[in-house]
Amino acid sequence: MIPVLQELKHAKRIRYFGITTSSPGQHAQMMDLMRRHPLDFIQVDYSIDNREVATSVLPLAQERHIGVLINSPFGGRRGAASVFGRVSNRPLPDWAAEIDAQSWAQVLLKYVVAHPAVTCALSGTTQLKHLDDNQRGARGRLPDATLRARMEKYWDSNA
Ligand SMILES: NC(=O)c1ccc[n+]([C@@H]2O[C@H](COP(=O)([O-])OP(=O)(O)OC[C@H]3O[C@@H](n4cnc5c(N)ncnc54)[C@H](OP(=O)(O)O)[C@@H]3O)[C@@H](O)[C@H]2O)c1
């Protein structure tokens, strides 16, 4: 499909094309395609609870100037096993105020979009109040590399 998509782009029938996966088993193949083709974007899973791409796919996307859309920034729909299931009864840590986050959803989204390779995060919800909460995560300060490392440490030891 990639040559077909390249032709469509050349003919100005599409503006961008890219590839997507939610399967870690396809990351090696994805990286091979990222090295061999002029992709405009990729889409992969990434959350504070699922950081595999942070040291593989994301640095390559930065190096190749490929846009990155993030699937499942809350770790996907997993009921009580979801990221929210792990933190919903915990108060926000003090450092949440340093990034103007007023909910766990905002903490989790700010963590994802602050990765330097990430272009945008696609969060899913069935509830208007969650949509409103998530949109607020697009405002205010974002964590720098030091705070992101602190967030990971907090997550790994507490959540
Ligand atoms: N291209 C691909 O291969 C691929 C694969 C997977 C996903 N995706 C895309 O990625 C997007 C997100 O995926 P996803 O919905 O599976 O995962 P997600 O965004 O990581 O998680 C959604 C879960 O978080 C909950 N949630 C959302 N906002 C919340 C809030 N503010 N407070 C508390 N809970 C909240 C939702 O519950 P409520 O419904 O109750 O809000 C739902 O259970 C979708 O657009 C999906 O199509 C693409």
Side-chain angles (χ1 to χ4, degrees):
M1 283 304 294
I2 288 178
V4 174
L5 293 168
Q6 277 182 289
E7 272 176 36
L8 290 173
K9 186 177 169 184
H10 186 68
K12 297 194 185 316
R13 292 184 60 197
I14 58 172
R15 208 173 279 169
Y16 306 116
F17 71 91
I19 57 177
T20 164
T21 184
S22 254
S23 304
Q26 290 186 319
H27 288 164
Q29 186 185 6
M30 176 177 251
M31 290 173 72
D32 180 50
L33 292 168
M34 289 165 71
R35 288 190 184 97
R36 289 197 286 123
H37 298 284
L39 302 174
D40 295 304
F41 65 87
I42 56 157
Q43 188 175 319
V44 283
D45 288 16
Y46 178 49
S47 68
I48 200 163
D49 203 31
N50 174 14
R51 308 199 290 263
E52 193 212 316
V53 293
T55 51
S56 54
V57 177
L58 298 190
L60 180 62
Q62 259 185 294
E63 184 190 315
R64 304 275 299 158
H65 304 290
I66 297 172
V68 176
L69 313 181
I70 297 301
N71 301 328
S72 306
F74 299 132
R77 299 173 171 271
R78 291 183 285 139
S82 74
V83 291
F84 292 110
R86 290 175 62 187
V87 293
S88 57
N89 292 326
R90 287 176 184 272
L92 289 179
D94 291 345
W95 46 253
E98 293 174 34
I99 51 171
D100 306 311
Q102 290 163 348
S103 69
W104 276 110
Q106 292 169 30
V107 164
L108 297 165
L109 284 175
K110 282 172 181 263
Y111 169 81
V112 166
V113 298
H115 188 292
V118 171
T119 310
C120 80
L122 312 173
S123 54
T125 181
T126 56
Q127 301 191 49
L128 198 53
K129 68 179 181 193
H130 287 169
L131 176 64
D132 182 57
D133 183 10
N134 299 346
Q135 286 186 327
R136 287 173 200 278
R139 305 197 180 106
R141 290 168 289 179
L142 291 174
D144 60 13
T146 308
L147 183 48
R148 289 185 88 253
R150 214 165 131 207
M151 294 166 89
E152 289 169 1
K153 202 167 162 194
Y154 174 90
W155 192 266
D156 293 346
S157 52
N158 291 290

